[in-house]
């Protein structure tokens, strides 16, 4: 396709909803929003990642619209719309789904290689597309400002594609719009977006764009933890995150964004020649289930304690050091505490060993140590770790341990304080204890006894046991 050409879609001949639905597949609520704007005499388009995904026949999320209508006009046309941010983006909800409508923009004044400080509204879709990151994200589908008058038939919508994004989409190429150095200087996150998109879309980064990432990887140091975290989460949801992580390593982004992983390079790991710890980590991440974000994150971080603990060919205590490091790293990325605690726990316990000689009590103690909600994730991490080491997924007696854990969980024996037949209030009312730490200690000890012998878990028996603990202490 010629640079600067626009392509009429097959919907271009007729006006109205039916024709608009033809190609690409735009959901009816989005078409209705566009039509409202068109009928009111405005230019309006679908833009960004959802259009790209629709052209690729991939499930699209978060439909974004852009128009020459100014924000106050949008509030007139859509009385239920609300402002989303100080840049004038409005959000319209239809059927529980939020659609963002943004007035055409001409960005300027990028500060600190992050996002623009100030935006200026524009009148031309081409200017709005020119400020976007990659050609595949710089297409628009819609129609220009109404030359037909309100109520008159509309000319058909078309694909506006000034940077040959359609051809790059078909070729699976990520190419920066214009000068890649400028695009990445404006917003360093775009470099991380490039590797993430390469992995999620299975695209190749065009050589000039890739070289610019290598040149400017250092700018990623300016990015906030939150923005990196959002990209990392999306990257880890890719079929093979290693594609993006390898690109990060090769371009120098990894050293800036996740130096703890960069430190795994050249640390010997597997017996296979040429394999280092980073290779093992990347294979482990790929082997973790794609729909389990916590396990993928734990797989990424499970061995980050190794470089620091390497001595005489061993990584003594790497899981404990690694758990601390994982917590620090995830705090730096401003991940929610529940996530960082769960990932740290998985890293801390990923080296568990199981023997067929374990008693049922030992299995129950294992369950309480890990926490029942984390067990399946720990097993999945262990499987991924094995695959990442080139050994069968169910090594270390994992299949048997899984079965025995399932048996214990099914038999509904007490495995936590809330499963005990008495609680702190009972100790106060029945045994005259006063509120204080002693209550927690007694409950812990009772749980320990019940884990060893589930038959003890009834109210009178536990009260007798508590009483005897008290008299021993007294
Ligand atoms: N964009 C950009 N620079 C950024 C972020 C976004 O130029 N740093 C532009 C791109 O045109 C992008 C659009 O804004 O397509 C919307 O951004 P966003 O919704 O964050 O990402 P998507 O491209 O939609 O990708 P995905 O849905 O896969 O996150």
């Amino acid at each position: 396709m010629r640079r600067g050409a626009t392509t009429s879609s097959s919907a271009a001949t007729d006006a109205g909803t039916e024709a608009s639905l033809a190609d690409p597949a735009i959901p009816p609520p989005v078409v209705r929003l566009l039509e409202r704007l068109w009928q009111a005499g405005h230019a309006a388009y679908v833009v960004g990642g959802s259009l790209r995904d629709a052209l690729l026949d991939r499930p699209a999320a978060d439909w974004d619209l852009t128009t020459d209508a100014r924000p106050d006009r949008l509030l007139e046309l859509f009385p239920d719309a609300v402002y989303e941010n100080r840049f004038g983006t409005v959000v319209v909800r239809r059927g529980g789904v939020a659609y963002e409508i943004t007035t055409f923009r001409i960005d300027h004044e990028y500060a600190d290689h992050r996002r623009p400080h100030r935006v200026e509204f524009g009148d031309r879709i081409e200017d709005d597309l020119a400020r976007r990151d990659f050609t595949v994200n710089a297409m628009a589908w819609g129609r220009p400002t109404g030359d037909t008058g309100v109520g008159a038939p509309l000319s058909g919508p078309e694909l506006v594609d000034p940077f040959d994004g359609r051809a790059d989409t078909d070729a699976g190429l990520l190419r920066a719009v214009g000068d890649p150095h400028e695009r990445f200087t404006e917003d360093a996150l775009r470099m991380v977006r490039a590797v993430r998109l390469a992995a999620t879309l299975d695209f190749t980064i065009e050589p000039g764009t890739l070289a610019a990432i290598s040149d400017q990887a250092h700018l990623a140091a300016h990015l906030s933890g939150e923005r990196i975290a959002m990209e990392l989460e999306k990257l880890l949801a890719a079929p093979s995150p290693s594609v993006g992580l390898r690109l990060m390593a090769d371009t120098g982004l990894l050293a800036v964004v996740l130096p703890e992983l960069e430190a795994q390079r050249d640390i010997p790991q597997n017996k296979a020649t040429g394999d280092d710890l980073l290779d093992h980590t990347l294979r482990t991440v790929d082997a973790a289930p794609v729909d389990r974000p916590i396990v993928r994150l734990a797989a990424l971080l499970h061995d980050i304690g190794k470089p620091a603990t390497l001595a005489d060919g061993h990584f003594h205590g790497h899981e404990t050091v690694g758990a601390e490091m994982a917590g620090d790293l995830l705090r730096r990325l401003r991940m929610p505490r529940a996530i960082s605690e769960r990932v740290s726990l998985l890293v801390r316990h990923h080296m568990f060993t199981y023997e067929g000689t374990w008693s049922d009590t030992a299995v129950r103690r294992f369950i309480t140590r890990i926490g029942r909600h984390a067990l399946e994730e720990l097993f999945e991490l262990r499987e991924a770790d094995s695959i990442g080491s080139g050994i069968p997924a169910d090594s270390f007696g994992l299949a048997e341990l899984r079965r025995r854990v399932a048996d214990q969980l099914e038999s509904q024996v007490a495995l936590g304080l809330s499963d005990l037949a008495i609680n702190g209030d009972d100790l106060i009312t029945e045994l005259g204890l006063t509120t204080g730490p002693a209550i927690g200690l007694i409950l812990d000890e009772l749980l320990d006894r019940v884990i060893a012998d589930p038959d003890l878990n009834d109210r009178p028996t536990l009260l007798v046991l508590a009483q005897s603990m008290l008299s021993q202490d007294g």
Side-chain angles (χ1 to χ4, degrees), residues 311 325 338 472:
M325 290 175 68
Q472 272 167 22

Side-chain angles (χ1 to χ4, degrees), residues 71 73 147 205 222 304 418 424 433:
R73 174 74 170 139
D147 43 12
I205 303 180
H222 296 273
I304 55 170
S418 60
L433 284 178

Side-chain angles (χ1 to χ4, degrees), residues 48-49 52 64 131-133 137 187 190 193 196 234:
R52 172 201 71 216
D64 295 327
R131 72 186 175 88
R132 293 175 182 266
D133 52 6
N137 292 338
D187 184 357
R190 289 168 167 171
R193 281 172 56 82
R196 185 264 292 182
K234 289 182 181 179

Side-chain angles (χ1 to χ4, degrees), residues 87 89 102-107 119-122 127-128 131:
F87 297 125
T89 297
T102 305
T103 305
F104 295 158
R105 290 171 180 182
I106 311 167
D107 284 348
V119 296
E120 193 176 305
F121 296 134
D127 294 336
D128 185 277
R131 72 186 175 88

